[in-house]
């Protein structure tokens, strides 16, 4: 009897051990599967120098085509390098102090420009205009009422000179065809915006109507894309600034080109001999860029499928969403977070780029920043250290690809300006004004971009290139441009 009991006990023990082993094998199998997914993603996102050079060459071809003729670039209406902006003159020393406002869709800034001491600008601002319902946002009433409220609450320092109309620098961070200094037609929306009736309309007209409705005695005296604003404020602070890049929610670059180097021309040459090329590089797409299935799905499910492909792999709006998609797939295919897929993992755009930046830059030994973000955002509380390390790796893959592609984009501009080499032993300083939250706050992204530019240019040329953070440069630049094109210019002289 005892023998039978022992036999049964042994058999049960063996069975239990077998279950444990099987469970472990299953778990190990899932982990292997999860790691395969990460490895495959990493390979698809790889940007060795050889690949970056292909990207660069393709971008240069597009830029040249865009400059050569109207419609020359394959990118049709939103040519990569086809949009000209006027090379606005910038304010210099004068005799008075006056106020100019700058307004974007996300931020309202009032700038007091001190004409006596060049460079002194006093700024008061309100942010977070994003936090409105879309139907409210869609309405001109909203825009007008926000402006009216802002003006009403401003302190005495920001009031315009009595008897004068207030002037506004309007930064617009979407593709437009600029028709004059203070007018431009919206070509399309990007970055998840979609108000169809606005496409094809003059954006300044719309804003002017909104201001009139609210009885605001104001006029737009400069209407600029954010890159132009950044270029203007960058150049205002440093004469060697020839290029501006926005790396924020979206991305774009603008640079100064010799007007006679632009074959398709645009009427008489400007007196300065220079023109600004507004480069919608976000819309760049290329065969050599290996897009992963996550990128393709993101694009297909976006409001603008097939558009803004470059932007969708390197700008702030999308990096977090790509990471989310990879994690979601790992949860589904390899039970990375357990037997069921945590519901929050399926929510589009729930993971923002600030969160992946914080996780990527977590230096705590147990990666507690990662743990808390995963818990707060996805409601997943049981991550092991090993899992957190994998999450950091995915954030890094996505950010490094984006940063290296941005570096290739910047090099394409330097190439166009002939500043990618040292000619005749002469080292010319090239300054690039950088604006946007991605560049400003995501340190690892910024470091990777700078290192990659160094790799691409070589030490000697790289030493003559300076990337300068131009914080709020796009807005301040617009206000400075409004000041320099004020209708009251010269009144007090
Ligand atoms: C827009 C550009 C803008 C850039 C940066 C892109 O999505 O197309 O016009 O300059 O974002 O804000």
């Amino acid at each position: 009897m005892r023998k039978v009991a022992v036999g049964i006990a042994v058999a049960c023990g063996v069975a239990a051990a077998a279950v444990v082993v099987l469970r472990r094998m299953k778990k190990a199998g899932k982990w292997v599967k999860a790691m395969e997914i990460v490895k495959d993603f990493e390979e698809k996102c790889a940007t060795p120098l050889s690949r970056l050079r292909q990207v660069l060459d393709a971008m240069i071809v597009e830029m040249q085509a865009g400059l050569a003729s109207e419609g020359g670039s394959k990118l049709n209406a939103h040519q990569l390098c086809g949009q000209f902006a006027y090379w606005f003159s910038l304010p210099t020393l004068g005799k008075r102090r006056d106020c100019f406002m700058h307004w974007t869709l996300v931020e309202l800034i009032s700038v007091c420009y001190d004409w006596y001491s060049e460079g002194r600008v006093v700024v008061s601002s309100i942010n977070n205009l994003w936090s409105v319902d879309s139907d409210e946002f869609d309405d001109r009433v909203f825009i007008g009422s926000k402006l009216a409220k802002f003006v009403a609450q401003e302190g005495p320092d920001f009031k315009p000179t009595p008897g004068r109309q207030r002037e506004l620098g309007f930064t617009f961070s979407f593709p437009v065809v600029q028709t004059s200094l203070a007018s431009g037609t919206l070509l399309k929306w990007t970055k998840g915006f979609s108000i169809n009736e606005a496409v094809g309309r003059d954006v300044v007209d719309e804003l002017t109507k909104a201001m009139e409705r609210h009885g605001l005695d104001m006029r737009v005296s400069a209407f600029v894309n954010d890159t132009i604003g950044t270029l203007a404020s960058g150049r205002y602070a440093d004469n060697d600034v020839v290029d501006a890049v926005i790396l924020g929610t979206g991305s774009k670059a603008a640079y100064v080109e010799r007007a006679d180097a632009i074959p398709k021309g645009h009427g008489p040459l400007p007196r300065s001999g220079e023109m600004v090329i507004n480069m919608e590089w976000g819309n760049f797409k290329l065969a050599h860029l290996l897009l992963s299935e996550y990128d393709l799905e993101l694009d297909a499910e976006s409001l603008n499928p097939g558009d803004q492909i470059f932007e969708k792999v390197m700008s702030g709006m999308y990096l977090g969403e790509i990471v989310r998609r990879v994690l979601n797939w790992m949860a589904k295919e390899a039970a990375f977070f357990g037997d069921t897929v945590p519901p929050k993992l399926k929510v589009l755009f729930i993971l923002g780029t600030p969160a992946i930046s914080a996780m990527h830059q977590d230096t705590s030994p147990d990666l507690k920043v990662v743990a808390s973000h995963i818990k707060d955002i996805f409601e997943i509380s049981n991550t092991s250290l090993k899992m957190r390390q994998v999450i950091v790796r995915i954030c890094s893959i996505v950010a490094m690809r984006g940063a290296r592609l941005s570096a290739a984009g910047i090099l394409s501009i330097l190439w166009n300006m002939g500043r990618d080499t040292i000619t005749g032993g002469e080292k010319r300083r090239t300054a690039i004004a950088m604006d946007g939250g991605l560049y400003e706050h995501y340190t690892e992204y910024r470091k990777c971009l700078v290192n990659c530019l160094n790799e691409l240019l070589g030490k000697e040329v790289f030493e003559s290139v300076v990337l300068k953070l131009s914080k709020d440069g796009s807005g301040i630049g617009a206000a400075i441009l409004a000041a320099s094109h004020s209708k009251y210019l010269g009144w007090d002289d």
Side-chain angles (χ1 to χ4, degrees):
M1 222 17 220
R2 209 183 289 152
K3 266 191 200 159
V4 174
V6 171
I8 291 172
V10 170
C12 286
V14 170
V19 171
V20 171
V21 170
L22 266 175
R23 238 190 245 147
R24 281 207 187 130
M25 278 172 59
K26 220 167 136 197
K27 216 170 149 196
K30 284 178 183 161
W31 184 260
V32 169
K33 174 82 188 145
M35 290 310 95
E36 278 170 12
I37 294 176
V38 178
K39 193 161 167 277
D40 175 63
F41 178 58
E42 191 165 35
E43 280 167 12
K44 291 183 176 151
C45 293
T47 47
L49 282 189
S50 54
R51 182 162 301 283
L52 285 182
R53 292 206 183 279
Q54 289 172 328
V55 171
L56 173 69
D57 290 346
M59 210 176 229
I60 288 172
V61 168
E62 281 295 333
M63 288 173 83
Q64 294 290 305
L67 289 176
S69 62
E70 216 61 69
S73 160
K74 274 180 263 144
L75 301 175
N76 305 323
H78 325 298
Q79 295 191 27
L80 183 65
C81 198
Q83 290 168 23
F84 296 97
Y86 302 85
W87 186 218
F88 311 104
S89 52
L90 297 173
T92 48
L93 273 177
K95 287 195 188 126
R96 68 194 168 94
R97 178 173 205 258
D98 224 335
C99 286
F100 297 88
M101 280 180 79
H102 133 72
W103 186 76
T104 73
L105 288 186
V106 275
E107 187 183 52
L108 200 49
I109 289 186
S110 201
V111 170
C112 259
Y113 177 72
D114 195 333
W115 294 77
Y116 285 105
S117 67
E118 194 178 1
R120 215 173 83 203
V121 285
V122 194
V123 172
S124 90
S125 71
I126 49 165
N127 286 314
N128 287 333
L129 296 191
W130 290 103
S131 52
V132 291
D133 299 337
S134 53
D135 40 335
E136 194 195 1
F137 185 80
D138 202 355
D139 192 348
R140 271 190 231 133
V141 173
F142 162 73
I143 295 172
S145 69
K146 278 281 171 189
L147 271 172
K149 253 189 232 157
F150 185 65
V151 169
Q153 79 192 21
E154 275 186 320
D157 268 3
F158 290 93
K159 300 276 180 231
T161 307
R164 290 187 187 174
Q165 202 181 22
R166 192 189 282 267
E167 296 179 279
L168 184 74
F170 182 18
T171 308
F172 194 65
S173 309
F174 299 92
V176 284
V177 174
Q178 183 121 20
T179 37
S180 77
L181 178 59
S183 61
T185 311
L186 175 65
L187 277 172
K188 63 170 182 175
W189 292 105
T190 54
K191 299 177 280 201
F193 275 73
S194 174
I195 307 166
N196 287 337
E197 315 82 74
V199 175
R201 295 215 199 149
D202 186 316
V203 187
V204 177
D205 265 2
E206 298 299 309
L207 180 58
T208 306
K209 281 182 214 155
M211 295 191 299
E212 279 164 6
R213 270 180 181 221
H214 280 80
L216 284 167
D217 187 21
M218 250 194 228
R219 74 182 264 276
V220 173
S221 55
F223 170 66
V224 289
N225 179 266
D226 49 2
T227 40
I228 304 296
T230 306
L231 190 57
S233 63
R235 174 68 80 102
Y236 181 61
D238 177 344
N239 220 21
D240 289 339
V241 168
V242 284
D243 180 9
V245 176
I246 305 280
L247 283 171
T249 309
S251 184
K252 176 163 172 165
Y255 70 99
V256 183
E257 181 66 280
R258 275 188 4 259
D260 60 5
I262 306 169
K264 78 179 171 196
H266 236 66
L269 289 185
R271 240 184 297 148
S272 64
E274 289 180 324
M275 286 202 83
V276 173
I277 304 296
N278 219 346
M279 186 179 167
E280 277 293 343
W281 74 10
N283 199 29
F284 180 56
K285 30 177 129 62
L286 74 168
H288 301 300
L289 183 62
L290 268 182
L291 296 171
S292 70
E293 52 276 41
Y294 313 100
D295 305 309
L296 293 170
E297 276 167 20
L298 182 156
D299 175 47
E301 290 167 25
S302 69
L303 287 174
N304 51 353
D307 250 11
Q308 303 292 111
I309 301 296
F310 192 63
E311 182 168 84
K312 283 175 182 158
V313 294
M314 47 73 89
S315 84
M317 168 142 182
Y318 303 98
L319 301 186
E321 173 61 7
I322 302 171
V323 172
R324 183 202 66 81
R325 284 173 183 267
V326 179
L327 291 176
N328 188 33
W329 185 246
M330 286 163 70
K332 254 203 244 164
E333 289 300 294
F336 189 67
F337 293 106
D339 290 337
T340 51
V341 178
K344 286 278 164 93
L345 209 50
K346 299 178 199 154
V347 180
L348 301 188
F349 288 95
I350 195 173
L351 183 65
T353 297
I356 70 156
S357 155
M359 294 197 287
H360 185 179
Q361 293 164 172
D362 183 0
T363 50
S364 63
D366 53 348
L367 297 178
K368 57 171 181 285
V369 177
V370 179
S372 78
H373 275 80
I374 294 296
K375 183 163 176 288
D376 295 347
I377 298 167
F378 298 125
E379 294 172 359
I380 303 171
S381 44
N382 57 346
T383 51
S384 65
L385 179 58
K386 237 166 85 175
M387 288 163 79
R388 287 176 230 149
Q389 285 163 339
V390 173
I391 295 170
V392 172
R393 182 168 156 204
I394 298 167
C395 297
S396 162
I397 296 170
V398 173
M400 297 304 99
R401 174 183 65 169
R404 289 175 68 82
L405 287 172
S406 312
I410 291 177
L411 181 55
S412 72
I413 294 178
L414 296 179
W415 185 93
N416 259 276
M417 291 187 294
R419 288 175 184 250
D420 61 326
T421 48
I422 292 175
T423 36
E426 184 209 350
K427 261 197 186 180
R428 257 188 312 174
R429 181 169 175 273
T430 299
I432 306 174
M434 308 288 300
D435 193 12
L438 180 61
Y439 183 80
E440 184 184 351
H441 301 297
Y442 201 153
T443 313
E444 287 301 318
Y445 186 104
R446 186 173 64 237
K447 279 202 257 170
C448 175
L449 187 163
V450 171
N451 292 340
C452 182
L453 204 54
N454 188 0
E455 265 181 82
L456 285 164
L457 284 171
K459 190 167 172 291
E460 207 187 349
V461 182
F462 178 72
E463 276 169 357
S464 62
V465 176
V466 196
L467 269 66
K468 300 179 80 174
L469 177 66
S470 173
K471 196 169 155 43
D472 293 332
S474 54
I476 292 173
I480 290 177
L481 287 168
S484 62
H485 293 84
S486 161
K487 66 176 176 183
Y488 303 113
L489 218 57
W491 275 36
D492 306 294
D493 297 341

